[in-house]
Amino acid sequence: RNVDDGHVIFLNSVAGHWVFKNAMYSATKFAVTALTEGFRTELRAMQSNIKVTSLSPGLVRTEFLPRYQRSADPKSDIDSAYTKTFGFVVLEADDIVGAILYVLATPDRMQVHDFIVISAGETRSLT
């Protein structure tokens, strides 16, 4: 196609930058961080105009936590599972969509390398 523009966004996690209690999960996310940086470096070596971003959200409200905690009814227990476990309001999927749209809207001269997005109540010390 001879196209040399575009944007690749790797959906990573804060666990790719900070090690948490589940070290194996963090190790897989650190691998995504390395893959992103390696891919970006290879594109730059080819003098490509393709942008590469790693988007690393913190806790996002999904059905994962209640299922992980083996709740009887994951759909009805989502809010209480997060509030009881962490004590603060977590990000919503729409927040991540907004972050992706922001990255995609940047001018050609600008590249967002690493975009860490966390809830206002989240800290680096979560375990």
Side-chain angles (χ1 to χ4, degrees), residues 84-124:
K84 287 177 186 174
T85 303
F86 300 107
F88 60 86
V89 177
V90 299
L91 297 172
E92 296 287 336
D94 286 344
D95 299 323
I96 306 312
V97 170
I100 291 169
L101 293 174
Y102 170 80
V103 168
L104 292 174
T106 57
D108 291 341
R109 68 181 178 279
M110 178 181 166
Q111 175 172 268
V112 178
H113 273 230
D114 298 302
F115 195 175
I116 296 175
V117 182
I118 62 173
S119 165
E122 188 170 353
T123 66
R124 198 176 162 152

Side-chain angles (χ1 to χ4, degrees), residues 14-123:
V14 293
H17 304 274
W18 311 329
V19 177
F20 295 111
K21 186 165 55 173
N22 185 339
M24 190 57 73
Y25 180 76
S26 289
T28 65
K29 294 305 180 178
F30 266 82
V32 173
T33 301
L35 178 65
T36 304
E37 190 59 35
F39 187 52
R40 184 184 301 119
T41 301
E42 289 177 11
L43 288 172
R44 290 301 150 271
M46 297 182 332
Q47 298 182 342
S48 173
N49 293 314
I50 298 171
K51 298 178 184 183
V52 180
T53 298
S54 173
L55 178 60
S56 301
L59 291 166
V60 179
R61 183 181 173 274
T62 67
E63 294 179 14
F64 175 76
L65 184 65
R67 288 184 182 180
Y68 180 76
Q69 293 177 337
R70 295 182 178 89
S71 295
D73 184 3
K75 289 197 185 264
S76 67
D77 290 342
I78 292 173
D79 291 325
S80 64
Y82 281 99
T83 303
K84 287 177 186 174
T85 303
F86 300 107
F88 60 86
V89 177
V90 299
L91 297 172
E92 296 287 336
D94 286 344
D95 299 323
I96 306 312
V97 170
I100 291 169
L101 293 174
Y102 170 80
V103 168
L104 292 174
T106 57
D108 291 341
R109 68 181 178 279
M110 178 181 166
Q111 175 172 268
V112 178
H113 273 230
D114 298 302
F115 195 175
I116 296 175
V117 182
I118 62 173
S119 165
E122 188 170 353
T123 66

